[in-house]
Amino acid sequence: MAPPPILRRFFPFLRWFPYSAGCFRADFLAGLTVALVLVPQSMAYAQLAGMPAYYGLYAAFLPVMVAALWGSSNQLATGPVAVASLLTASSLTPLAAPGSEAFVAYAIMLALLVGIVQLGLGVFKLGVIVNFLSHPVIVGFTNAAAIIIGLSQVNKLIGVPMGRSEHFIEDIWGVAKLVGDTHLPTLAMGATAIAIMWVIRKKAPKLPGVLIAVALTTTASWLIGFELNATATVEQVMEPEARALLTEFARTETRIREINDQIAARTSGLKALRKDRGELSHEMVTLNHEVDLLRLQLKDREDENRRRNRAIRSFVFERIAAPAGEAGQLYAEGRVPAGKTSDGHRWRIPRAAQGSMKLTGGGEVVGKVPEGLPSVGVPRMSWEMLGSLLTAAIVISLVGFMEAISIAKAIAAKTKQKIDPSQELIGQGLANLVGAATQAFPVSGSFSRSAVNINAGALTGMSSVITGLFVLLTLLFLTPLLYHLPQAVLAAVIIMAVIGLINVAAVKHAWQASRHDGIAAVVTFVATLAFAPHLDKGILVGAGLAIVLYLYRTMSPRAVILGRHADGTLRDAKLNNLPPSQVVTAVRFDGRLYFANVAFFEDAILEAVASNPQAPYLLIVGDGINELDASGEEVIHHLVDRLRGNGLVVLFAGLKKQVLDVMKATGLHAVIGEKNFFATADRALEQIYSREENLGAVDGLRPASMPVPISEQRFG
C-alpha cells in the first residue's frame, strides 16, 4: 500500500515503496558500481577543493544518502563535483592556505552556508531564481572552469610545485617555467592512469575505469617505493638564498604568533570594556583601532610568508650523505662541491617550517588516511568571515543547483519521472547541511556518476543509499589501502572527468541562436579565465551582462507598420514592399510595454503617424503586448490625448486580458472608449472601412471580405 500524500510530502523517499526484491537487486548493483567510481573521484575532488584527500570520503558518505532521500530524482547521484570543488578552492584560497586547519574550517562553514541558502530557496519555492544564470552564461562558465581545473592539475601530473596567488595565469606560467624539472616517475604514473581510463572508456565502458586505474597505479606505487620522504633543518641548507628565505620565514612565523596572541588579548579586553564602558567609549574606540592595525600587520606578514613559501618550493636540492652522527647537507641542484657525491635524488621542500622540515625526493602520494567516521558537530561559525563567504555561498548554491537540476531533468527525459525543482533544492540543501555537520565541503549533483547510476540499472534513490554505505565500509576498513595512491593519479582522474565539460559546440550554438546569448557566453568564458582563481566574479559578470543584454533587447522590440499581403494577411509593409493606406496607419508592437521601452514605443507610434499624415485613423495592433505597467499606461494615455488633439482616431486591436485589466483598473479603457477596442485587427479594419467616409476607399488595408460598390469602383 502506498504511503499517504502528507507523509510523502515530508519524507519524499516513501515514494519508493512498496519496494520489491528485484528493485533492490538493481539498486544494489548500481550503488556498488557508483561507489567504485566515487571513492577515488571524491578524494581527487577534495584535493581540487584544497582539502586533504580523505575529506572527499566524508563528502561522499552522508550527503550522498541525504540528497537521494529528500530529493525528487530517483537516479541523481550527489557528492563532490569538479565545479563546486574549484569554486570552494577559489573562494577560500585568499583567506587561508589550502589544506590548513583554517582552510578546512572555512570549507565546512561554506558547506553550511550553501546548505542554508539552498534549503531556504527550496522551502520558499524560490528555485526560479536560478533563471538569472542563463544557459549561455553557464556554458561559458563551465568551459572556462573545465580549462582552469585541467590546468590546475598539470603541476601534480608532472611533479612540480605550483604557487597560489591572486592571478591563476601567473601561477600556470610559473608551472610552465618548471617543465624542465618534471619528475619522470610522477609523469609516468599520471600518464599511465590516463591511458588506462581512456582505453577502458573506449573499449569497455561498463567497467569501472577509474577504480582499475587507481588500483593498478597504487599497487605499482607500493611495489617500486614511489614515495620518498626525509627531514632536514635550516642549518643543513647550504644554498645561501634558500637559507635566507627559510630564516626569514621562521622569524616571520614567530611574529605571526606574537600578533595573534596580541589580537586575542585585546579582543578579550574589548569584551570587558564593552560591558563596563559601552561601545562608544574612548578606550573602546582606541582598542578597536589597535586590533584593526594588528590585523593589517598579520595579513602583511602572512602574505610575505606565502611568497617565501612559493620561492622555497621552486628550489631543487641534491643531498650529500653525511658521516655517521652528522646531518646531511643540501645544495642547490648542480652546485654540489667538487669531491662530494649526492645520493642521486632530487629533493624539494614542499612547505617551509620552523625546526625540522619535510623533504620530498620521490612522487607525492595521498599518505595516511584517518580510519573511522568523521566527527559530528555544528561547524564553528566565524561572524567575521560570514561576509567574505556569503557571496561565494550564493554562487556555489545557484551553480550547484543548476548543475543538479539540469542533470535530473536530462535523466527524467529518459525515465519519464516528474522532477520537482523545489524538492530538489531541499534535498541538495539538506545534503550540504548534513555534510557541514560531518566535516564535508560543498557538494552537488554529478553528471558522470548519475550517468553511471542510470546505466547500471538504478530504479530508485536506494542506489545512492547503498553507495553511501559502501563509502562507510571504506572509511571503516579500507583506508590503509589508499596510502600509496599517487597524487598524479588523482590529478589524472580530475583531468579525465573535466574533459567532458568542455563543450565548444554549445557556445557556437548559443551564438547561432542569438548574438546576445553568444556574447554572454564568450564574455563569461573570458571573464572567468581572467578573474581566476576568483571564479565567482566571472560568473557574476556573465549573469550581470546577460540581464543587461536582455533589458537592451526589450528596450527596442519590433514595431512595424502593417500592410495587406497578396494572401490576405497583414504583414510588415516595409519588408514586403506593400503600399501605405490612405485611411489607416496600422502599427504592430511586438513586446511587453514597460518602463524600459515606453520611450521607444512613443517614438515608433509618432514616427508611423508622421510618415502617413493623410490617414485619419491609427490602429495599434497589440497581439504581442504581454504586459503593461504604470509607465506604459501613462504613455498610452498621453499619446491618445495628443493624437486626438491632432484629429486622429486611435483604435486598439488584439489586446490580451492582462493588458485590458490594467487599462480598466486605471480608467484608461473608459478614456479611450469601448467602441475603439477590437478583438482582432481585421475586425477593426472592417469597422473603419464600413464608415461612410471610407466606403469608397480602395487601398492596401481594405479587407478582402468588403467588396467596393460598383459605383465607388468606377471613380476608383
Side-chain angles (χ1 to χ4, degrees):
M1 187 177 71
I6 188 67
L7 279 178
R8 291 175 61 181
R9 180 182 174 188
F10 293 100
F11 304 102
F13 55 86
L14 293 177
R15 70 181 183 275
W16 306 340
F17 299 94
Y19 193 69
S20 66
C23 194
F24 177 76
R25 281 194 297 271
D27 286 341
F28 182 86
L29 289 174
L32 173 60
T33 304
V34 173
L36 296 178
V37 175
L38 176 59
V39 168
Q41 207 174 61
S42 65
M43 298 178 73
Y45 289 148
Q47 299 236 306
L48 179 61
M51 306 278 282
Y54 60 87
Y55 278 89
L57 296 174
Y58 298 161
F61 173 35
L62 285 179
V64 172
M65 303 165 76
V66 170
L69 290 167
W70 273 273
S72 68
S73 173
N74 284 346
Q75 287 87 16
L76 178 66
T78 298
V81 294
V83 174
S85 297
L86 183 62
L87 282 169
T88 299
S90 66
S91 304
L92 302 182
T93 298
L95 306 177
S100 65
E101 186 178 337
F103 188 97
V104 171
Y106 291 150
I108 295 170
M109 183 179 171
L110 186 59
L112 176 67
L113 293 176
V114 169
I116 291 171
V117 171
Q118 289 182 329
L119 185 61
L121 292 176
V123 168
F124 294 105
K125 299 188 181 300
L126 296 175
V128 68
I129 199 170
V130 299
N131 292 337
F132 285 110
L133 298 177
S134 66
H135 177 68
V137 170
I138 290 296
V139 165
F141 171 77
T142 304
N143 276 278
I147 292 172
I148 292 168
I149 291 169
L151 291 176
S152 70
Q153 301 303 303
V154 170
N155 70 299
K156 292 179 182 175
L157 203 61
I158 64 176
V160 299
M162 176 179 174
R164 289 182 181 266
S165 69
E166 291 293 296
H167 304 286
F168 180 75
I169 295 173
E170 181 182 318
D171 297 338
I172 290 300
W173 178 243
V175 172
K177 291 192 291 188
L178 294 175
V179 167
D181 294 334
T182 297
H183 186 244
L184 294 179
T186 297
L187 178 60
M189 281 289 183
T192 301
I194 289 174
I196 292 170
M197 287 184 282
W198 186 83
V199 169
I200 291 176
R201 183 181 294 180
K202 293 292 181 183
K203 304 295 184 182
K206 291 188 176 181
L207 293 177
V210 173
L211 183 70
I212 293 171
V214 165
L216 292 177
T217 52
T218 302
T219 303
S221 169
W222 171 65
L223 290 173
I224 66 174
F226 182 66
E227 180 191 33
L228 183 62
N229 294 327
T231 58
T233 61
V234 175
E235 290 73 24
Q236 291 176 255
V237 178
M238 299 293 107
E239 171 62 33
E241 184 182 352
R243 177 180 280 199
L245 284 168
L246 290 167
T247 303
E248 285 301 313
F249 180 92
R251 187 177 295 123
T252 305
E253 280 288 292
T254 302
R255 178 58 184 151
I256 286 172
R257 280 199 299 274
E258 290 173 356
I259 295 173
N260 274 319
D261 290 342
Q262 291 172 14
I263 290 174
R266 282 165 172 75
T267 302
S268 177
L270 278 172
K271 292 178 182 177
L273 273 175
R274 187 178 290 112
K275 185 177 179 180
D276 295 340
R277 304 290 180 87
E279 191 73 40
L280 300 178
S281 66
H282 174 72
E283 294 88 344
M284 187 80 176
V285 172
T286 302
L287 206 53
N288 262 321
H289 180 63
E290 290 178 6
V291 170
D292 289 340
L293 288 177
L294 285 169
R295 284 178 175 150
L296 286 174
Q297 288 183 40
L298 180 64
K299 186 178 184 304
D300 288 342
R301 301 294 86 76
E302 287 175 342
D303 287 343
E304 287 174 10
N305 264 4
R306 211 170 275 134
R307 288 192 293 271
R308 289 188 185 106
N309 237 327
R310 191 159 58 242
I312 289 164
R313 283 198 298 266
S314 66
F315 280 94
V316 179
F317 298 97
E318 293 182 71
R319 190 169 68 165
I320 306 302
E326 296 182 22
Q329 296 176 323
L330 292 169
Y331 291 90
E333 187 177 31
R335 296 185 182 178
V336 176
K340 292 188 176 183
T341 306
S342 74
D343 60 8
H345 297 289
R346 300 166 76 246
W347 298 91
R348 289 184 187 274
I349 301 173
R351 177 171 171 75
Q354 289 180 302
S356 181
M357 298 174 297
K358 179 184 173 183
L359 295 177
T360 60
E364 291 281 339
V365 297
V366 167
K368 182 173 175 56
V369 176
E371 293 183 47
L373 299 178
S375 60
V376 178
V378 178
R380 188 183 63 210
M381 291 291 289
S382 170
W383 297 107
E384 294 174 3
M385 300 308 303
L386 188 61
S388 303
L389 296 179
L390 190 57
T391 302
I394 292 172
V395 170
I396 294 173
S397 300
L398 297 183
V399 172
F401 173 63
M402 178 164 279
E403 189 176 8
I405 200 66
S406 299
I407 297 163
K409 286 181 177 179
I411 293 171
K414 293 182 178 180
T415 62
K416 311 301 180 188
Q417 183 195 357
K418 183 181 178 182
I419 299 298
D420 181 352
S422 295
Q423 189 62 50
E424 202 57 61
L425 264 171
I426 291 172
Q428 295 291 312
L430 288 173
N432 277 296
L433 287 176
V434 170
T438 53
Q439 301 188 60
F441 52 94
V443 298
S444 182
S446 165
F447 182 81
S448 60
R449 294 194 300 274
S450 297
V452 169
N453 198 29
I454 191 170
N455 290 334
L459 298 176
T460 72
M462 184 63 75
S463 64
S464 291
V465 175
I466 292 166
T467 296
L469 293 176
F470 275 111
V471 174
L472 171 62
L473 290 175
T474 302
L475 282 167
L476 292 176
F477 306 112
L478 305 179
T479 52
L481 300 178
L482 300 171
Y483 182 96
H484 291 283
L485 171 58
Q487 296 280 9
V489 174
L490 292 181
V493 170
I494 292 173
I495 290 171
M496 289 298 290
V498 300
I499 284 175
L501 295 178
I502 299 175
N503 189 353
V504 179
V507 177
K508 182 181 178 183
H509 181 77
W511 184 272
Q512 291 170 336
S514 165
R515 288 290 182 269
H516 286 171
D517 284 344
I519 290 170
V522 171
V523 169
T524 304
F525 176 81
V526 173
T528 303
L529 288 176
F531 283 120
H534 302 289
L535 304 191
D536 52 335
K537 293 182 180 178
I539 201 166
L540 289 174
V541 166
L545 178 64
I547 293 171
V548 169
L549 290 174
Y550 167 75
L551 291 174
Y552 178 76
R553 285 198 303 272
T554 60
M555 284 174 65
S556 306
R558 197 161 177 257
V560 298
I561 298 174
L562 300 175
R564 181 77 63 181
H565 195 265
D567 63 5
T569 59
L570 296 174
R571 297 192 184 182
D572 185 340
K574 183 178 180 181
L575 186 65
N576 294 280
N577 198 26
L578 303 175
S581 168
Q582 303 296 312
V583 176
V584 56
T585 302
V587 182
R588 188 182 70 217
F589 189 77
D590 296 331
R592 52 193 289 232
L593 186 53
Y594 73 119
F595 67 91
N597 63 14
V598 290
F600 177 84
F601 172 79
E602 186 175 24
D603 291 343
I605 296 298
L606 293 177
E607 186 179 336
V609 170
S611 66
N612 196 20
Q614 70 276 14
Y617 294 91
L618 169 67
L619 174 62
I620 298 175
V621 182
D623 309 69
I625 302 176
N626 295 314
E627 181 185 342
L628 178 68
D629 71 355
S631 300
E633 185 273 342
E634 179 68 25
V635 166
I636 291 176
H637 200 148
H638 172 70
L639 271 174
V640 170
D641 288 343
R642 179 177 175 181
L643 295 174
R644 279 179 175 175
N646 291 332
L648 262 74
V649 178
V650 183
L651 304 99
F652 291 84
L655 293 179
K656 292 183 170 67
K657 178 183 180 298
Q658 62 266 32
V659 176
L660 289 171
D661 286 345
V662 173
M663 289 185 166
K664 289 174 182 176
T666 59
L668 179 58
H669 191 273
V671 170
I672 296 172
E674 178 70 39
K675 64 180 181 180
N676 293 323
F677 288 92
F678 298 90
T680 66
D682 281 327
R683 290 243 184 117
L685 291 171
E686 286 175 8
Q687 182 67 28
I688 292 170
Y689 282 95
S690 67
R691 294 180 182 178
E692 187 176 345
E693 68 273 16
N694 301 322
L695 280 172
V698 181
D699 63 28
L701 278 174
R702 185 182 183 91
S705 60
M706 295 181 62
V708 181
I710 295 174
S711 59
E712 302 292 352
Q713 291 180 21
R714 192 177 300 158
F715 300 103

